[in-house]
Amino acid sequence: MTSKMEKDRQLHQVGSSRPPGGTGTGIIWRWANSLFSSEVLSVIQRNRTRSFLTGFGVFWGVFMLVGLLGGGAGLKEMLSNNFEGFATNAAMIWEQPTTKPYHGFRKGRFWSLTTNDVERLRAQVPQLDVISPIASKWGVQAVCGEHRYNCSVKGQLPEYVRVEAPTMYYGRFLNEMDVVQQRKVCVLGKRVYKTLFPHGGDPCGQFIRLDSVYYSVVGVNYAGGNMSINGSADEAVVIPLSLMQRAFNMGESIDLIAITARRGTVVSDITPRIREVVARAHDIDPTDEKAVMVFNTEVLFGLMDNLFSGVDLLIWLVGIGTLLAGAIGVSNIMMVTVKERTTEIGIRRAIGATPRVILQQILSESILLTSVAGISGIVFAVLILQMLELSFTEDGIVQSHFQVSFWTAVGAAALLALLGVLAGLAPAARAMAIKPVDAMREE
């Protein structure tokens, strides 16, 4: 008993010693010395199973929080990639059979958009910024040497990049000189390029054949969006609109018109005016919404934003709830530990240990346990997220980043320290309330 008391007195003196230097430095030194003292470590090591199970609760909570945050960020980026480069204030106009009779015409009449509709919209709807017509043809065979691919051909204008921005892997997109000089040039989609040029390399300057006409390749578009405006961009070959209308005998007809609104204008506010301008030019009832389809992407982006907000809220609720459950487990285990050490704590109080020393020891054990388990959870979650990110890498390009920011990790570490303090407060209060007489009676 005497040796035990002497040892406790020495530990108390070590914990209370003050190194030379300023007051702040002394406080930090004493706290670090207490946190990593041999006594704290020995208490944890004596109950390895209990300490492991306690730490695992915190480990799992932090792993879930960081993993969900990183996974949610990757999922958000993955979904956002489907709309990559697409203008948020855009809309698409295309024709369908009429559903209402008008000016003596029966419903069910077929009609077609023309390039004249572009000029009408430009003149009568000043709130529009970009008005870009598109023509498409499916099932066209693209040929380069011995390689063939059944693709879609899209006729577009250079200004379409302001509606759906391309990701040029090689070369460039169409420009104004291609249209003015009527150049027979084309831009290949990713799948078309990989099929016609399986050995890779820059295809710009080489020729491919679409039906019976040869076109010079000026670029390769690796856009990852999946909006599929008149077919996927991956499987399409883009040529100038006027050239396509002549090559495929399309006259002035087009398949759809892509538009964007000027800054400060909501597309849904001018949709009735857009429909009216197009409908009246083709003897269609201006209220026939199915005949003149106007697909507003603002609605779609709004739904996606609401979905992301809900996912973020769910992630934080689940992650923090799991983390709090782990901290409560730490607190309960520390309460059991204090109860088992009632006699020891009482004896230490009897030989002169102050409540501050007892409080410092209990909090040190709690913080050390939660910190080690929490940091292990952060490291393990980051490793799992890194492996997940590698699985979404294509052609050396990371498609989605399943990672958390540095400050998120710092915030998680700070939250761990706070939870460690909170988890140890109740056990520490119980330990401080133990009196030597009660300890002897417990003995």
Side-chain angles (χ1 to χ4, degrees), residues 146-175:
E146 299 178 352
H147 305 287
R148 302 171 182 270
Y149 189 84
N150 286 328
C151 63
S152 62
V153 180
K154 295 184 179 182
Q156 297 177 356
L157 295 179
E159 61 187 11
Y160 183 72
V161 297
R162 297 170 60 187
V163 179
E164 185 179 8
T167 303
M168 303 309 299
Y169 195 74
Y170 288 113
R172 60 173 177 83
F173 197 71
L174 304 179
N175 58 32

Side-chain angles (χ1 to χ4, degrees), residues 42 46 62 90 132-133 137 153 158 166 181 206 219 237 249 263-264 281 313 337 372 392 421 424:
S42 65
R46 280 201 306 264
V62 175
S132 182
K137 187 173 181 62
V153 180
Q181 297 182 6
Q206 301 190 47
V237 176
N249 294 322
R263 179 172 298 181
L313 178 61
T337 302
V372 171
F392 285 90
V421 173

Side-chain angles (χ1 to χ4, degrees), residues 15 17-18 63 68 84 94 98 126 170 206 211 239 259 262 270 293 301 306 328 335 367 373 381 409 421 433 437:
S17 61
R18 179 175 300 177
F63 172 77
L68 287 174
E84 181 182 5
W94 69 89
T98 60
Y170 288 113
Q206 301 190 47
D211 286 347
I239 63 177
I259 62 172
R262 296 184 183 276
I270 59 175
M293 291 292 299
F301 281 104
N306 293 334
I328 293 173
M335 289 289 288
I367 293 176
V421 173
V437 175

Side-chain angles (χ1 to χ4, degrees), residues 40-57 333 337 340 369 372-373:
V40 173
L41 295 176
S42 65
V43 170
I44 295 177
Q45 291 176 357
R46 280 201 306 264
N47 302 279
R48 295 180 180 178
T49 303
R50 185 173 63 194
S51 299
F52 172 78
L53 294 177
T54 303
F56 183 78
I333 294 298
T337 302
E340 291 179 351
L369 198 58
V372 171

Side-chain angles (χ1 to χ4, degrees), residues 111-290:
W111 64 284
S112 296
L113 288 169
T114 66
T115 52
N116 292 329
D117 293 316
V118 176
E119 300 304 324
R120 295 188 184 98
L121 290 173
R122 186 171 286 114
Q124 302 181 41
V125 188
Q127 297 89 343
L128 295 180
D129 185 18
V130 176
I131 307 174
S132 182
I134 302 174
S136 304
K137 187 173 181 62
W138 290 267
V140 179
Q141 191 173 73
V143 181
C144 181
E146 299 178 352
H147 305 287
R148 302 171 182 270
Y149 189 84
N150 286 328
C151 63
S152 62
V153 180
K154 295 184 179 182
Q156 297 177 356
L157 295 179
E159 61 187 11
Y160 183 72
V161 297
R162 297 170 60 187
V163 179
E164 185 179 8
T167 303
M168 303 309 299
Y169 195 74
Y170 288 113
R172 60 173 177 83
F173 197 71
L174 304 179
N175 58 32
E176 293 294 339
M177 295 304 298
D178 295 331
V179 178
V180 173
Q181 297 182 6
Q182 301 182 5
R183 297 171 179 171
K184 294 181 180 180
V185 294
C186 67
V187 177
L188 306 182
K190 181 168 62 175
R191 291 186 182 178
V192 181
Y193 161 70
K194 289 187 174 182
T195 302
L196 299 184
F197 300 91
H199 301 296
D202 189 352
C204 295
Q206 301 190 47
F207 289 86
I208 67 168
R209 178 167 56 85
L210 299 176
D211 286 347
S212 58
V213 181
Y214 284 88
Y215 298 84
S216 175
V217 178
V218 295
V220 177
N221 182 12
Y222 259 44
N226 293 321
M227 287 293 286
S228 297
I229 303 302
N230 261 22
S232 173
D234 288 348
E235 302 178 345
V237 176
V238 179
I239 63 177
L241 175 63
S242 57
L243 179 61
M244 181 171 182
Q245 289 176 325
R246 294 195 308 273
F248 294 96
N249 294 322
M250 300 180 65
E252 295 296 320
S253 64
I254 54 178
D255 292 304
L256 57 84
I257 301 175
I259 62 172
T260 63
R262 296 184 183 276
R263 179 172 298 181
T265 300
V266 180
V267 175
S268 56
D269 293 341
I270 59 175
T271 296
R273 178 57 179 166
I274 294 172
R275 182 175 288 111
E276 179 183 3
V277 170
V278 175
R280 292 192 182 281
H282 296 273
D283 284 324
I284 299 173
D285 190 335
T287 63
D288 193 348
E289 297 183 359
K290 293 184 179 180

